[in-house]
Amino acid sequence: MLCKKCGYENKDSGELCQKCGASLKEGVSLENTMVFEPVMIEEEEIKVKKKVPQEGAILVVKKGPNSGRKFLLNKDKITVGRSLGSDIFLDDITVSRKHAEIDFGNEEAILHDMGSLNGTYVNGELVDKVKLKNNDEVQIGRFKFIFLN
C-alpha cells in the first residue's frame, strides 16, 4: 500500500506506514495519539530495583526503539503488538499485530505468545507460555524489556 504522506510502498497492509508512521487508512486520524519522551535508565538501575509502586508490575524497554520507556501493567490482561488497539503498542515491523498477552491470574504474570511470526523470548529462550519472574528479560521483535514486579 502506497503511503500518501511520504510515498513509501508498504509491503504489508498494516494501519501505519513502515517508513514515516503515517496512517494508511482513509478517515483514520492519529491526532489524539500521545507521544512520550523516553526516559533513559542505566542497565544497573534496572537490576537494582526490587519493588515497584503498588499500582502493579511494569515492563521497562531495555533495548530497542523508546529505550527506557516504562509500561505499567495494571490490568488483568495486557495485549502487546503492532495493532493500534494493543495496550502496549510496538510500532515495528518485527512485531506481529497481536504478538503476545500478559495475564494476571492468581497474582501471577503469565506471558502468552499469540502465534507471532518472530516469536517471544524470555531470558533468551523461545516461549509459548511462561510465568514471568522479577527481572526476567522479555524480547518481542527488536524490543527487549525487563519485567519488574
Side-chain angles (χ1 to χ4, degrees):
M1 179 174 278
L2 189 64
C3 176
K4 292 181 182 175
K5 182 175 180 183
C6 71
Y8 181 76
E9 180 65 39
N10 291 276
K11 305 218 178 333
D12 140 327
S13 61
E15 297 170 350
L16 300 176
C17 175
Q18 296 167 359
K19 184 175 181 184
C20 72
S23 175
L24 297 174
K25 304 287 184 188
E26 292 293 326
V28 174
S29 171
L30 298 178
E31 62 189 33
N32 292 331
T33 301
M34 296 177 66
V35 176
F36 297 94
E37 290 297 318
V39 176
M40 300 310 293
I41 296 177
E42 297 298 322
E43 189 170 335
E44 294 78 31
E45 277 185 69
I46 294 172
K47 290 183 179 177
V48 169
K49 187 169 183 175
K50 296 292 182 199
K51 298 281 182 193
V52 250
Q54 292 178 343
E55 295 92 19
I58 60 173
L59 279 179
V60 180
V61 181
K62 176 180 171 183
K63 182 179 176 189
N66 296 323
S67 184
R69 184 169 179 194
K70 298 175 186 177
F71 294 97
L72 182 60
L73 309 176
N74 59 352
K75 293 172 43 179
D76 290 340
K77 183 181 284 190
I78 304 290
T79 57
V80 182
R82 195 164 37 98
S83 168
L84 287 175
S86 297
D87 296 312
I88 299 177
F89 171 63
L90 302 176
D91 191 15
D92 190 87
I93 193 68
T94 62
V95 178
S96 296
R97 284 186 188 88
K98 293 181 180 177
H99 199 103
E101 286 184 353
I102 303 172
D103 291 317
F104 287 92
N106 299 327
E107 303 290 321
E108 297 177 333
I110 307 296
L111 175 69
H112 300 268
D113 181 86
M114 302 303 289
S116 66
L117 184 61
N118 290 323
T120 302
Y121 295 81
V122 174
N123 300 322
E125 293 188 31
L126 183 64
V127 297
D128 286 326
K129 180 179 177 181
V130 68
K131 177 182 171 185
L132 293 175
K133 301 178 299 304
N134 196 40
N135 285 321
D136 275 348
E137 180 184 83
V138 177
Q139 182 173 348
I140 296 175
R142 291 193 292 182
F143 295 83
K144 285 190 178 180
F145 302 89
I146 296 294
F147 174 77
L148 299 173
N149 189 11

